[in-house]
Amino acid sequence: MTGKKVKFIGAAQGWGTGQSGTQHGPAAFSEFLGEKGATGIKFEEILSPETEAPEGPKQHQAALPYVTKLNRQLCEATFQVIRNREFPVVFGGDHSIAVGTWSGIIPAFRLQKHFGLIWIDAHLDANTPETAAEGKWGGHLHGQSLAALLGHGEEELVGLLPEELKKALPIKLDPQHVFIIGARSCDPGETRLLEKLGVRIYHIDEVNQRGFESCFKESLSEIRKNTKGYGLSIDLDAFDPEDAPAVGTPEENGIRAEKVIECMHHVNGDPRLVGLEVVEYCPQNDSPDRQTAALALSLINAIVR
Ligand SMILES: [Mn+2]
C-alpha cells in the first residue's frame, strides 16, 4: 500500500517506436482488467496522440511533434496527481512517454538533484539523435527518453516542464541517482554517454550472476541514502520473452518475472516511492491467455496494493 490514492493514467503512444501496437496497450490492458474483475485499477484517463501512429518505422522528424505533445499532456497530468498528493501509475505506450511521466513528477517535488530513478529495461534508452545513427534502433524516440531526462537530446524533450514551472531549471535527474537493471541490448553511443555521466548499469550478466534482488536492493539502498524520493520505470521488455512475449522489441535472456514480482515488497509501502510507470505493452503479440497483461497486473499490484 502506498498510503496514497493511486491514479492510473494511460498513455497510448506508438510514435516513439519502430514497431506497431504499443499505442493499443492501455486500451487492451483496460479491457483485460475489466474481464478479470480487477476493480481496484481503473484508468482515470487515457491520453492519445491526435493522430494515431502509423504501422512500422517512423521518421524521426515526423514523430517528434507527436511525442512532444503527448509528453506535454502527460507531464501536466502527473504534475497534477502529485499536487493532489496522490500516487501516479502510468501505463504505456512506448517508452518515449517516460519524458512526460517524470518531467511532471520530479519538478512537482522540486527534487531535481535529489530524485532517484530505477529503470528496469533490456535497453538503455539513452541515445541522442546523433548517437542513434550508429545504433540499431534507427533513431526512434523510445530509445532516447532516458537521455532526455538526463539533459541530452532533442531540446523539446530535454526542456519539457509543467507550464507553471517554466522558470525552473530544466535539469531533471542527477545521473548519480539513476540505476538501470537488466540491460542486454545496448548501442555504443548510449553506453558511452551513460558511462561518462556515471549512471550505474546492471547489465544482464551481472543480474544473472548476483540475482535480481541483490542488484535491486543495492540500487534502493543507494537511493535511500542519497535522495529524498524515487520512482520506478519498468519496461516490460526487461523480462524474458517467455514471461512477457507482448512487447515491441523482445530480447532473449531476460529477467524472470516471478523473481521481480517477489522483490517488490522492498518498495511497497515506502513513502519515498512516488511514482511508477509500466511501458511497451504490445497486445497483438500477447498469448491467448494474455500472459503479459497478467504479468503487468501482478507487478502493479505487488508495488502499490
Ligand atoms: Mn525502454
Side-chain angles (χ1 to χ4, degrees):
M1 291 286 283
T2 64
K4 292 179 189 161
K5 185 165 184 233
V6 179
K7 282 268 163 137
F8 292 92
I9 301 169
Q13 184 59 282
W15 280 99
T17 169
Q19 267 58 44
S20 310
T22 55
Q23 67 267 39
H24 307 302
F29 188 58
S30 175
E31 196 183 289
F32 173 79
L33 295 173
E35 286 167 22
K36 287 280 155 199
T39 48
I41 303 183
K42 199 164 182 285
F43 286 105
E44 300 285 328
E45 55 182 334
I46 295 180
L47 303 168
S48 329
E50 58 209 341
T51 305
E52 193 179 294
E55 303 290 299
K58 286 100 195 158
Q59 262 241 304
H60 182 89
Q61 284 314 320
L64 185 59
Y66 293 106
V67 168
T68 305
K69 192 165 179 197
L70 187 76
N71 275 331
R72 200 174 290 139
Q73 293 171 328
L74 182 55
C75 159
E76 297 298 338
T78 55
F79 180 71
Q80 217 39 65
V81 172
I82 300 293
R83 277 288 166 92
N84 297 339
R85 298 173 191 277
E86 295 163 334
F87 184 98
V89 176
V90 177
F91 193 90
D94 70 63
H95 216 165
S96 69
I97 64 169
V99 177
T101 301
W102 305 106
S103 295
I105 293 174
I106 301 169
F109 288 106
R110 303 197 173 258
L111 280 181
Q112 279 85 325
K113 284 279 165 196
H114 308 283
F115 192 84
L117 189 59
I118 299 182
W119 189 279
I120 301 176
D121 199 329
H123 312 99
L124 302 176
D125 298 351
N127 271 305
T128 61
E130 294 74 40
T131 64
E134 56 174 312
K136 54 181 170 295
W137 302 117
H140 287 104
L141 286 154
H142 68 161
Q144 302 182 22
S145 44
L146 183 56
L149 289 165
L150 288 162
H152 298 266
E154 293 291 356
E155 215 176 300
E156 294 93 314
L157 302 176
V158 170
L160 189 78
L161 282 170
E163 200 59 44
E164 68 169 88
L165 295 183
K166 273 294 179 232
K167 289 195 188 98
L169 283 174
I171 299 161
K172 289 164 200 154
L173 277 175
D174 183 333
Q176 302 297 323
H177 308 320
V178 177
F179 297 80
I180 301 173
I181 307 180
R184 58 193 183 277
S185 177
C186 313
D187 287 338
E190 57 182 354
T191 307
R192 277 198 308 275
L193 174 66
L194 294 180
E195 283 176 357
K196 192 180 83 187
L197 293 173
V199 170
R200 177 68 163 99
I201 306 170
Y202 296 92
H203 291 280
I204 197 70
D205 290 348
E206 183 176 357
V207 178
N208 285 339
Q209 201 185 8
R210 293 175 53 183
F212 175 81
E213 185 168 31
S214 162
C215 303
F216 188 59
K217 276 172 74 178
E218 188 173 86
S219 324
L220 277 173
S221 118
E222 287 299 310
I223 281 177
R224 285 173 175 149
K225 233 186 318 181
N226 302 314
T227 73
K228 295 179 180 149
Y230 68 95
L232 293 178
S233 181
I234 303 178
D235 189 324
L236 292 168
D237 68 32
F239 297 105
D240 195 274
E242 288 263 328
D243 295 336
V247 297
T249 45
E251 302 284 354
E252 292 303 317
N253 181 32
I255 312 173
R256 297 315 300 253
E258 199 181 313
K259 195 68 221 167
V260 174
I261 290 166
E262 255 173 49
C263 286
M264 289 303 140
H265 71 89
H266 291 300
V267 295
N268 189 322
D270 182 354
R272 278 173 296 180
L273 175 68
V274 297
L276 164 68
E277 113 188 303
V278 177
V279 301
E280 296 278 348
Y281 179 48
C282 194
Q284 75 212 33
N285 301 345
D286 217 348
S287 59
D289 62 349
R290 280 171 301 170
Q291 191 189 356
T292 315
L295 161 59
L297 176 58
S298 307
L299 196 58
I300 293 169
N301 279 333
I303 297 167
V304 302
R305 312 297 292 175

